[in-house]
Amino acid sequence: MKPLRLVLQAFGSYAGTLEVDFARMGRHGVFAITGPTGAGKSTIFDAIVYALYGDLPGFRADGNVRSQYADPSTRTRVTLEFEVGGETWTIERAPRQAVPRRRGSGEAVLQAPSALLRRSGEDAGGFSRQSDVAARVIDLVGLTKDQFEQVVLIPQGRFEEVLKADTRQRSALLTQLFPVDIYARVTDALKAIAQARQGDFDRAQAEQRSAVDGVAGEAERLVAGLPDGIDPGALGRWARGPADTPPGGEQAGGEPPGGEQAGGEPPGLDALLDDVARVEAELGALVAGAATERDQARLRRDDTVAAADAWDRWQADLAAARSFEDEEERDAHEEAELDRARSVSALAGALAGWQQAVAELAGAGVERDGLVARIGAAWEGDLPAGELTRSPQVSELAARIAAEAERLDAGERQFASLSAEAAQIEEARGDLASRNLAHASATEDQEAREAAVEADRVRLDELARQAADRHAAEVALATCQADVDRARRRAAATDAVTRSVAADESATENLEAARRELDRVRGAWRQGLAGRLAAHLVDGEPCPTCGSPDHPAPAALLDGAPDDDAVARAERALEEARQAQSAAQAARVTAEAKLDAIGDGPDLAAAERALVAAADRDQVARRAEADSTTLAADLDRRTGALSVARRALAEESGALSVAAARVEERAAAFERDRQSFVDDHGSFRSLASEAEARRALAAQVRELAGALARVEESEAARDQYRAALAPSMAELGVDGPAALAERMMEPDELARRRAASTGRRDRRTEVRSRIAAYEQAGVPAARPDAGPAEAALAAAEERLTDLVGRQAVVAAAAAHLRTAPDKVAAALAAVERTRRALEEAKTVAQLCAGQGGAGVDERLSLQNWVLAAYLRQVLSQANERLATMTGGRFALRLGEGSADGRRQSGLDLAVFDVNTGQVRPATTLSGGETFMAALALALGLADVVSGGANREIGALFVDEGFGSLDAQSLDGVVEVLRSLEDGGRVVGVISHVTELNRALPNGITVATTTSGSLATLTYPPE
């Protein structure tokens, strides 16, 4: 994230609007924000954090960010434009605020807080919900607020947090900055695999226990199913419980370890299976015997039941026969009535015909009377009554009326045709007028397009002239590009020489300092040598120097005198300084040789301006060449189109003349046909209603003819059927066909009653025959009793059912028991297989999770181990700057791990002190030392991240901390800050230290006024 522009209004101590162009202010890397304490320097950095996270940095709470100096109507807001991954974003925030009403008086209007994040230059879209904005900012910047204050903005009072964070806190920060999430996912995946294999192992153990317990359960189920009289044998001992049974089943000999002990240990699976086969055979024999007994009892029961059923039927037949005489008398009367109905039924057709003729005559009469009434109402003039009584005359009248309707229909069709022709003539005249207008407009358009073509021909000539300059423009552009590349290489080489010279001089100074330090250490070592030797003297033993056994006045140890290790460290430091000085000299010679090889060249700014001008010239020529090609093709196309259009206009002009003549011819023919229609029908009008009235009247007259015909037919049929029924009416003594119909019976009813009578007669015959046959066979004195036989059969079936059920239970349990050896063996193999897989997965997962064992490396997670590698790169970059700040005294390094195995370790920092040669915790640094170490760490972190990681860190802001430095340390910090000018990073520092203000003249000067803070911006020169 790189800030580009900040605008704050009525924020903090600023009453008005302050705009800071960070892209311009940080052009050369570093700038300062200076001013007295309390002037409002930190407010500028506060605004950056508030814009991004909606909160203030450090330990301050977001109580009220509104300026107490601002006008009540001025809205407090902060706008920040920043760059991430090549894209520019703008975020604007405003806190909750009460503003006065624009009109009238009353309570102030409370405006809700707002936030808006969108890509710069877009007028719509983006994010406006507070939660969405917060999530998107963290996604873009890649840091939470706390992490932002450790990497980008180091506020007052937070320097120690950056340097002294523990492994857990530093891991959370570095995980956001470096691409290590894959290692966390790998660790999680390994944990998931271990958990899954733990589940497999648990299930395998459960299945093993289930397999062993299943043998006992099936044995118990089998024993419970055995009837009395069958000895369970080994099954009984397994059924009592397999608690001591070995999980592996039998040994090689088929018996459990040790055989059957007196303590009640169950026998092996082989003996168990032998008893299973035995009890199955014994139970099968019992089932077969019970089935035979059941079959014999069933035969005895069936014989007894059959005899009882025969005796019951004989008694029922005797009871029925007592009512047969009365039934026979009723059936004789029924037969006589059925015979009369059968004779009348023979006349059913004639009766039905007579009834239908009477009904049709009544309906036809009603229809005839209605039609006569309607025809009379529709008839024009007097109704010809004599012509409406017989069907032939009425049919003839209908034909005459229909012919008149047809004549009127022909006239209506002629009228419709003439009307359509009139409309078509008017439409043709309208189309002709429209075509004339279109032809005139097309002619004008043709003339305008021909004029445009001529103008484009002139423009084509101008483009051709510009395109002819393309070759010269390309040559000039290539020349300018070469000049710029050479100027840039020379500028870079010059900077490299400057840095190498400074490094060489610094290395030379370090070498001299190391020599002086070695001389000092050696001198002090020699001074303390006598005291160290005296410490080893023992009374009565000779002195290694003088040989005397007496030691009256041994030398005393000197406090603080260096030992041999201190001398060795000083010698190593001298050798390291010598090597560093040699490397610096070689780098200086190499840099100067590269600069000499480049030679003199043009000024970079002038070369870049010439390059821009050459690029513009080349672009103009290229555009002209492309535009001329496109325009030439377009002119050819348009010229051809104009020629075609001219021919089309000429053809259309001739066609218009022909069309006008044809329209006038059609108009004259229409007038002649119209006059003929008037001569035939009196006027030019529609005849549809008259024709429709004639057709309707003709239809009614035809209906009347049909109705009259039906009346005549119905009268003839009625008289004919009555004559046919006359003999039967005389025979039965009835006075009309209606009375005769009442004696008739439906064929289905006649057949049903006849069949019922016959059935009763047949039933009487059958019952009398059964009574005679039963009495001839010999009748028992009493009804046979089937109860004892039923009871014997029920007992036999109950025993068989019980034995069959037990046989099914035993068979099912036996089937399971026969598979027991294979199941137990398979379960044991699965337990062993899953145990080995679980141990492998847990070992790898615990190692990657940092839970491997007692060693520090084994307690370091895979993700933190990779982060430690990145952190070493960070420390390498940080130590270069820390050495400059501290005169080479301090160097940061990774700690050796935590003595407390309960907390995470591996990313803790320690500091190596050259003066003492010892590594100590970073928490032991003084305030100024802590500031320099934290600053160096932040710069190193930005270097490594910018060199290739998850995020881009394009800014660093330091709020105070310089006051804790002495003059020498301040010089080192300023030197480091100046070295950032070519890093492409925006670096801002806040301080009231005078020396820092003189060293960094570019920036913002803040002063305190009675109306709030006043900021003066000093941008670096272009």
Side-chain angles (χ1 to χ4, degrees):
M1 191 282 291
K2 184 175 183 179
L4 302 178
R5 185 176 64 91
L6 173 68
V7 179
L8 56 91
Q9 175 180 290
F11 184 87
S13 58
Y14 292 86
T17 301
L18 173 62
E19 179 176 354
V20 181
D21 188 345
F22 287 117
R24 181 181 174 191
M25 182 69 72
R27 181 177 293 113
H28 297 300
V30 61
F31 66 92
I33 302 178
T34 60
T37 301
K41 304 185 296 298
S42 299
T43 302
I44 296 175
F45 290 169
D46 291 351
I48 295 176
V49 178
Y50 180 79
L52 291 173
Y53 299 101
D55 198 0
L56 296 178
F59 301 103
R60 290 166 289 170
D62 178 18
N64 184 11
V65 299
R66 176 166 173 76
S67 174
Q68 60 180 332
Y69 304 101
D71 183 85
S73 61
T74 302
R75 183 76 161 121
T76 297
R77 60 169 47 89
V78 177
T79 302
L80 176 65
E81 184 176 353
F82 60 96
E83 181 181 2
V84 174
E87 290 186 337
T88 303
W89 292 79
T90 300
I91 184 170
E92 179 180 300
R93 285 189 189 270
R96 187 182 306 277
Q97 178 181 340
V99 298
R101 297 182 180 273
R102 294 183 178 180
R103 297 180 180 177
S105 59
E107 295 182 357
V109 178
L110 185 63
Q111 294 185 344
S114 64
L116 177 62
L117 172 67
R118 63 174 53 155
R119 287 183 176 85
S120 299
E122 294 183 354
D123 296 331
F127 305 88
S128 58
R129 292 177 55 184
Q130 297 278 356
S131 58
D132 294 342
V133 172
R136 187 57 174 151
V137 165
I138 292 178
D139 182 58
L140 290 172
V141 179
L143 301 170
T144 64
K145 175 178 174 289
D146 289 340
Q147 293 167 349
F148 186 85
E149 294 174 14
Q150 294 180 10
V151 178
V152 180
L153 168 64
I154 306 180
Q156 298 182 35
R158 299 297 290 271
F159 297 105
E160 292 187 1
E161 292 186 20
V162 179
L163 183 65
K164 300 175 183 178
D166 59 20
T167 291
R168 180 183 57 80
Q169 296 166 333
R170 188 167 285 112
S171 175
L173 169 64
L174 297 180
T175 299
Q176 296 293 322
L177 299 176
F178 295 106
V180 296
D181 55 336
I182 185 175
Y183 303 105
R185 293 198 300 272
V186 167
T187 301
D188 292 339
L190 290 172
K191 289 180 180 178
I193 292 173
Q195 291 175 354
R197 292 187 178 180
Q198 179 68 57
D200 294 341
F201 177 67
D202 293 341
R203 285 189 292 275
Q205 285 188 315
E207 289 174 1
Q208 175 201 357
R209 291 190 297 269
S210 176
V212 175
D213 294 342
V215 176
E218 293 300 334
E220 184 175 0
R221 187 155 68 99
L222 190 150
V223 170
L226 292 178
D228 296 337
I230 296 181
D231 180 16
L235 288 168
R237 290 189 292 279
W238 267 91
R240 286 194 297 270
D244 299 326
T245 303
E250 310 93 5
Q251 304 302 310
E255 294 295 331
E260 296 189 38
Q261 303 295 326
E265 183 177 289
L269 292 177
D270 287 344
L272 181 72
L273 295 180
D274 291 342
D275 277 348
V276 167
R278 177 183 57 78
V279 299
E280 279 190 301
E282 293 180 4
L283 183 57
L286 291 177
V287 170
T292 300
E293 292 178 2
R294 188 273 319 269
D295 293 341
Q296 293 174 353
R298 179 176 293 163
L299 290 174
R300 291 192 294 272
R301 190 281 315 269
D302 291 344
D303 292 343
T304 304
V305 169
D309 289 343
W311 197 89
D312 291 339
R313 285 195 300 274
W314 173 56
Q315 292 296 320
D317 288 343
L318 289 176
R322 297 188 186 99
S323 61
F324 282 174
E325 292 182 2
D326 294 337
E327 188 177 274
E328 287 173 344
E329 184 178 353
R330 289 194 298 273
D331 284 348
H333 292 292
E334 176 76 4
E335 288 294 336
E337 183 179 354
L338 291 177
D339 289 340
R340 286 194 299 273
R342 185 174 61 253
S343 63
V344 175
S345 297
L347 304 173
L351 284 171
W354 177 81
Q355 291 172 340
Q356 181 179 359
V358 171
E360 289 178 353
L361 178 60
V366 172
E367 181 183 5
R368 175 197 59 196
D369 296 341
L371 286 172
V372 170
R374 289 197 299 274
I375 292 172
W379 193 273
E380 295 179 359
D382 295 333
L383 182 66
E387 297 183 357
L388 300 181
T389 56
R390 305 301 296 172
S391 60
Q393 291 84 355
V394 173
S395 296
E396 182 181 354
L397 177 61
R400 292 199 304 271
I401 297 173
E404 176 63 17
E406 182 62 29
R407 185 184 70 81
L408 291 173
D409 279 338
E412 175 59 21
R413 287 193 294 273
Q414 183 181 9
F415 174 79
S417 176
L418 289 174
S419 299
E421 177 67 9
Q424 291 175 2
I425 291 172
E426 290 301 318
E427 183 179 0
R429 285 172 174 168
D431 291 344
L432 188 61
S434 298
R435 288 175 63 186
N436 283 324
L437 290 175
H439 183 267
S441 176
T443 302
E444 293 178 359
D445 183 61
Q446 176 76 5
E447 294 172 354
R449 285 188 291 166
E450 290 177 349
V453 166
E454 292 303 321
D456 284 344
R457 292 189 186 281
V458 174
R459 178 167 170 262
L460 180 61
D461 294 340
E462 176 61 21
L463 290 175
R465 183 187 63 76
Q466 293 177 358
D469 187 45
R470 178 180 175 184
H471 179 71
E474 289 178 343
V475 173
L477 179 61
T479 302
C480 292
Q481 183 64 58
D483 291 344
V484 168
D485 293 342
R486 185 177 180 186
R488 288 175 177 169
R489 291 197 303 274
R490 180 169 181 79
T494 301
D495 292 341
V497 168
T498 301
R499 290 193 298 272
S500 65
V501 169
D504 186 19
E505 293 174 351
S506 176
T508 302
E509 293 176 0
N510 292 340
L511 179 60
E512 292 303 321
R515 286 196 183 101
R516 291 192 297 271
E517 176 64 13
L518 179 58
D519 292 341
R520 184 191 67 78
V521 172
R522 284 175 174 172
W525 180 84
R526 285 192 292 272
Q527 292 175 2
L529 181 60
R532 290 196 302 276
L533 292 174
H536 295 282
L537 294 176
V538 179
D539 291 340
E541 294 182 2
C543 174
T545 301
C546 65
S548 173
D550 298 325
H551 317 296
L557 285 172
L558 295 178
D559 293 337
D563 55 9
D564 294 343
D565 291 339
V567 174
R569 287 195 298 272
E571 290 174 347
R572 287 196 302 271
L574 177 60
E575 179 60 27
E576 292 173 356
R578 184 180 293 110
Q579 293 176 359
Q581 197 266 343
S582 298
Q585 285 182 344
R588 177 177 179 176
V589 171
T590 301
E592 291 174 346
K594 289 182 179 179
L595 180 61
D596 292 340
I598 295 174
D600 296 333
D603 177 68
L604 177 58
E608 289 177 340
R609 288 194 295 273
L611 177 62
V612 172
D616 292 342
R617 176 184 174 189
D618 179 68
Q619 186 65 27
V620 169
R622 289 176 181 273
R623 246 190 333 263
E625 185 178 46
D627 292 346
S628 64
T629 301
T630 303
L631 184 58
D634 184 57
L635 283 174
D636 290 342
R637 178 186 58 78
R638 289 160 61 192
T639 300
L642 288 175
S643 177
V644 172
R646 279 195 296 272
R647 289 195 298 271
L649 285 173
E651 293 174 357
E652 177 65 8
S653 178
L656 286 173
S657 299
V658 172
R662 289 177 177 173
V663 168
E664 293 306 320
E665 289 178 1
R666 290 181 66 183
F670 167 75
E671 188 59 33
R672 290 194 298 272
D673 293 340
R674 179 179 177 281
Q675 186 58 45
S676 176
F677 182 89
V678 171
D679 294 342
D680 291 341
H681 300 287
S683 65
F684 189 67
R685 71 185 190 282
S686 174
L687 303 176
S689 59
E690 298 178 23
E692 181 63 26
R694 291 292 189 279
R695 279 195 301 275
L697 183 60
Q700 291 176 349
V701 173
R702 279 195 296 272
E703 289 182 19
L704 178 59
L708 290 172
R710 288 190 291 277
V711 168
E712 295 166 358
E713 291 174 0
S714 298
E715 289 175 345
R718 179 197 60 189
D719 296 342
Q720 181 180 359
Y721 284 119
R722 185 177 182 86
L725 294 172
S728 297
M729 289 188 293
E731 180 183 354
L732 296 177
V734 296
D735 57 357
L740 188 62
E742 293 176 356
R743 302 287 184 92
M744 188 174 63
M745 186 179 296
E746 292 293 333
D748 292 343
E749 176 67 13
L750 181 63
R752 183 187 65 78
R753 292 173 66 176
R754 181 75 71 182
S757 177
T758 303
R760 289 191 294 272
R761 183 176 62 251
D762 294 341
R763 181 176 61 82
R764 290 192 295 272
T765 302
E766 180 181 356
V767 168
R768 287 170 177 156
S769 297
R770 284 202 304 269
I771 291 173
Y774 190 79
E775 291 176 349
Q776 290 175 2
V779 180
R783 184 180 184 277
D785 185 7
E790 291 281 1
L793 176 61
E797 287 181 340
E798 181 178 359
R799 173 168 173 72
L800 178 61
T801 301
D802 176 68
L803 290 175
V804 169
R806 291 176 182 273
Q807 188 181 41
V809 172
V810 169
H816 287 292
L817 287 173
R818 289 190 180 94
T819 64
D822 293 339
K823 289 183 178 179
V824 171
L828 279 173
V831 168
E832 180 60 22
R833 183 178 64 256
T834 55
R835 182 189 61 77
R836 290 196 299 270
L838 172 61
E839 290 177 354
E840 293 173 357
K842 287 179 67 175
T843 299
V844 176
Q846 289 174 350
L847 183 61
C848 291
Q851 303 168 353
V856 173
D857 291 339
E858 292 178 331
R859 294 199 308 271
L860 187 64
S861 69
L862 176 62
Q863 176 175 298
N864 284 357
W865 183 80
V866 177
L867 288 176
Y870 280 110
L871 187 54
R872 290 188 183 94
Q873 299 179 33
V874 172
L875 295 180
S876 176
Q877 298 292 329
N879 284 333
E880 291 183 9
R881 296 188 171 92
L882 184 58
T884 301
M885 297 181 192
T886 64
R889 178 181 176 184
F890 294 115
L892 296 172
R893 61 177 57 180
L894 283 177
E896 295 299 328
S898 171
D900 182 3
R902 292 173 298 177
R903 70 180 184 88
Q904 298 182 30
S905 62
L907 300 179
D908 296 328
L909 294 182
V911 61
F912 174 72
D913 190 340
V914 175
N915 290 351
T916 63
Q918 300 295 321
V919 176
R920 53 193 172 98
T923 55
T924 63
L925 292 173
S926 67
E929 293 167 348
T930 297
F931 172 75
M932 291 186 290
L935 179 60
L937 182 62
L939 294 174
L941 190 61
D943 288 341
V944 175
V945 172
S946 299
N950 274 354
R951 302 295 177 182
E952 169 190 356
I953 300 179
L956 175 67
F957 300 113
V958 182
D959 190 352
E960 291 297 353
F962 300 93
S964 60
L965 304 177
D966 56 28
Q968 183 178 358
S969 298
L970 182 61
D971 290 341
V973 171
V974 171
E975 182 179 349
V976 169
L977 293 176
R978 283 178 170 169
S979 70
L980 301 175
E981 293 182 351
D982 295 325
R985 197 179 318 151
V986 176
V987 180
V989 298
I990 291 179
S991 179
H992 59 273
V993 177
T994 306
E995 291 79 359
L996 186 63
N997 298 345
R998 288 197 296 267
L1000 302 174
N1002 297 323
I1004 306 171
T1005 302
V1006 183
T1008 303
T1009 69
T1010 57
S1011 59
S1013 298
L1014 178 63
T1016 302
L1017 281 70
T1018 303
Y1019 290 104
E1022 297 291 340

